[in-house]
Structures are given as structure tokens and as C-alpha cells.
């Protein structure tokens, strides 16, 4: 998850994961769709750092845009497919685990958390695709840029994903009037930790808009103070110091 919060390249870390051999597993360390998303992010960010004679060829950018669009669709399919068990008596080892095996989808809360995690990765993928489309527009082939801008990963799609994640954050953290959480803080730390990644990614995303970013920052700060989750409080403070915007 950190690779989608960190807007810098982190090749060394992921190369280490990809090359890791362990006697306790013969499967990939990353869920395939998440692995593809990480590979895409790495390939896309390289294109943003090349200049001059090393500028990417048009066909490379076009293929990256197509790949990113496909991964975006796969992530949405993964989000939609998340369903909790209909049997409340099912034992833990029989529960469906998802998002790289991190969560047992046994309640409506974990269902919403996992759904928002997939969509948060999708949000970053769409941001990168839009950046690649803009990269084409900076060159000479404006027709290709306009074609992709109107067909894939539009600003409306990005806004839709943002609202989906926002809705899940409200539901999971009891910020929605229709979500009858009341003042009951039972399990709140778990819920805040589960939604930490979605909130943090959107809080640092320029595409989210300042109003939404301030909203995310304030909610993260309050939840961090309420639960004692220092990571949440630290992230909220880091956002303030980074943008020099007072609480």
C-alpha cells in the first residue's frame, strides 16, 4: 500500500519483494491484480522523469495508457466481487480472505474496507493514466491525446471513484447519518486503521480538490486522537506541515 501513498519511485523495495524466495510459500507475494498495478505505477512514473532525447516514444505511452485502463477495470471488478460470507458461523480459516489475504470478509465493515482499498489503488492508477494522457498532449500528437482523454479515465471517472471511496469512509467510520454507529467506539481503532490507506492517499492527492483534502485531514486527525492511533495523527500533521494549511 505504501507504494501508492509514496509518490516517489521505490524500485529497490519492490525488486526485493519480487526476488524474495521463502520456504513457506510457492505463490506470488502479491495478489496478481495488485502486482500488475504496482508494475504499472513503476513503468508510468519512469515516463514522467524522462526528458529531452530520452523522452518516451508515443507508442510506449499509448500502450501504458491501455495497460492502465485495463488494470483500472480489473481493480473495479475486484472491488465489486467482494462479498462477506452469508454464514455467520463459518470458522475463521474458512472465511474468504482478500486484498492480498489481509482481510477476512466476514462483516459489512470489512467488506466496505476491502472494497475501498481496491478502489483507492484504482484511483491512483487512473491518476497516472491521466498524467500519461497529458504527457502525450505535451508532445505533437494532440489527436491521440484527445482520443484517450475522451475515451478512458476521464475526470468524471476519477470523481466517481473519489465519491465511492468517500461513501465507504463515511460508512465505516460512522460519519454517515444513515450509518447507525452512534457514539459506540467499539472496534473504531480497527476501522480507522483499515481506512488509513484510502484516507491518506486521497488526502495527498491534488486531484481530490482542496475542500475534500481538508475534510479527509480533519477526519483523520480526529479519529487518530479518539483512538490513540498515532499513525493517523502523524499523517494529519504531516499533511499540514507539507501544505502549510492550518487545522
Amino acid at each position: 500500500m505504501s507504494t501508492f501513498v509514496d509518490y516517489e519511485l521505490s524500485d529497490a523495495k519492490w525488486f526485493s519483494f519480487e526476488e524474495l524466495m521463502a520456504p513457506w510459500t510457492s505463490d506470488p507475494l502479491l495478489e496478481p491484480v495488485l502486482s500488475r498495478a504496482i508494475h504499472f505505477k513503476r513503468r508510468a512514473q519512469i515516463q514522467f522523469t524522462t526528458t529531452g532525447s530520452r523522452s518516451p516514444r508515443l507508442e510506449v505511452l499509448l500502450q501504458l495508457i491501455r495497460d492502465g485502463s485495463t488494470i483500472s477495470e480489473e481493480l473495479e471488478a475486484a472491488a465489486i466481487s467482494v462479498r462477506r460470507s452469508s454464514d455467520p458461523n463459518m470458522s475463521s480459516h474458512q472465511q474468504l480472505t482478500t486484498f492480498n489475504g489481509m482481510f477476512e470478509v466476514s462483516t459489512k465493515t470489512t467488506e466496505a474496507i476491502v472494497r475501498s482499498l481496491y478502489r483507492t489503488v484504482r484511483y491512483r492508477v487512473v491518476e497516472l493514466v491521466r498524467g500519461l494522457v497529458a504527457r502525450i498532449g505535451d508532445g505533437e500528437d494532440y489527436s491521440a491525446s484527445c482520443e484517450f482523454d475522451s475515451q478512458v479515465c476521464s475526470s468524471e471517472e476519477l470523481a466517481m471513484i473519489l465519491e465511492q471511496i468517500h461513501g465507504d469512509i463515511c460508512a465505516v467510520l460512522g460519519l454517515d447519518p444513515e450509518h447507525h454507529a452512534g457514539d459506540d467506539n467499539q472496534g473504531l481503532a480497527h476501522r480507522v486503521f483499515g481506512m488509513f490507506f484510502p484516507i491518506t492517499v486521497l488526502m495527498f492527492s491534488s486531484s481530490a480538490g482542496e475542500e475534500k483534502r481538508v475534510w479527509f485531514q480533519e477526519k483523520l486527525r480526529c479519529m487518530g486522537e479518539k483512538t490513540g492511533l498515532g499513525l493517523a495523527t502523524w499523517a494529519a500533521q504531516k499533511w499540514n506541515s507539507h501544505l502549510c494549511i492550518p487545522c
Side-chain angles (χ1 to χ4, degrees), residues 47-83:
Q47 307 310 317
F48 298 133
T49 59
T50 55
T51 57
S53 60
R54 298 183 60 191
S55 295
R57 299 190 306 274
L58 177 62
E59 57 267 27
V60 173
L61 291 175
L62 295 179
Q63 186 58 53
L64 270 173
I65 291 169
R66 294 187 187 98
D67 291 346
S69 300
T70 299
I71 293 168
S72 170
E73 293 172 358
E74 291 174 345
L75 287 164
E76 178 60 17
I80 293 173
S81 69
V82 175
R83 292 290 183 273

Side-chain angles (χ1 to χ4, degrees), residues 2 15 17 58-59 63 91 119 154 171-172 175-176 185 194 218 241:
S2 64
F15 280 142
F17 273 118
L58 177 62
E59 57 267 27
Q63 186 58 53
S91 60
R119 283 178 172 156
S154 64
V172 170
L175 304 174
D176 189 333
N185 290 333
E218 178 61 19
S241 62

Side-chain angles (χ1 to χ4, degrees), residues 175-187:
L175 304 174
D176 189 333
E178 296 182 2
H179 184 82
H180 302 292
D183 295 325
D184 183 9
N185 290 333
Q186 183 177 3

Side-chain angles (χ1 to χ4, degrees), residues 142-156:
Y142 293 101
S143 60
S145 174
C146 293
E147 175 188 352
F148 275 106
D149 198 34
S150 62
Q151 290 184 1
V152 299
C153 300
S154 64
S155 57
E156 290 79 11

Side-chain angles (χ1 to χ4, degrees), residues 7 123-124 127 200-209 213 239:
Y7 280 65
Y123 183 88
R124 283 292 289 126
E127 278 191 318
T200 304
V201 166
L202 298 180
M203 189 172 69
F204 284 95
S205 168
S206 59
S207 304
R213 294 166 73 192
W239 185 85

Side-chain angles (χ1 to χ4, degrees), residues 19-27 29:
E19 295 174 0
L20 178 66
M21 300 293 291
W24 37 265
T25 181
S26 58
D27 297 323
L29 290 179

Side-chain angles (χ1 to χ4, degrees), residues 1 31 33-34 75-84 96-122 165 168-169 172 190-191 193-198:
M1 293 187 289
E31 181 181 341
V33 67
L34 298 178
L75 287 164
E76 178 60 17
I80 293 173
S81 69
V82 175
R83 292 290 183 273
R84 69 186 185 280
L96 171 68
T97 60
T98 190
F99 200 77
N100 218 47
M102 289 178 58
F103 292 89
E104 291 180 357
V105 187
S106 56
T107 65
K108 289 181 67 175
T109 296
T110 52
E111 184 180 305
I113 289 173
V114 172
R115 185 169 56 238
S116 68
L117 289 172
Y118 281 117
R119 283 178 172 156
T120 302
V121 176
R122 184 188 181 208
I165 299 169
D168 279 334
I169 289 171
V172 170
H190 167 74
R191 287 182 274 139
F193 184 77
M195 299 306 284
F196 176 76
F197 170 57

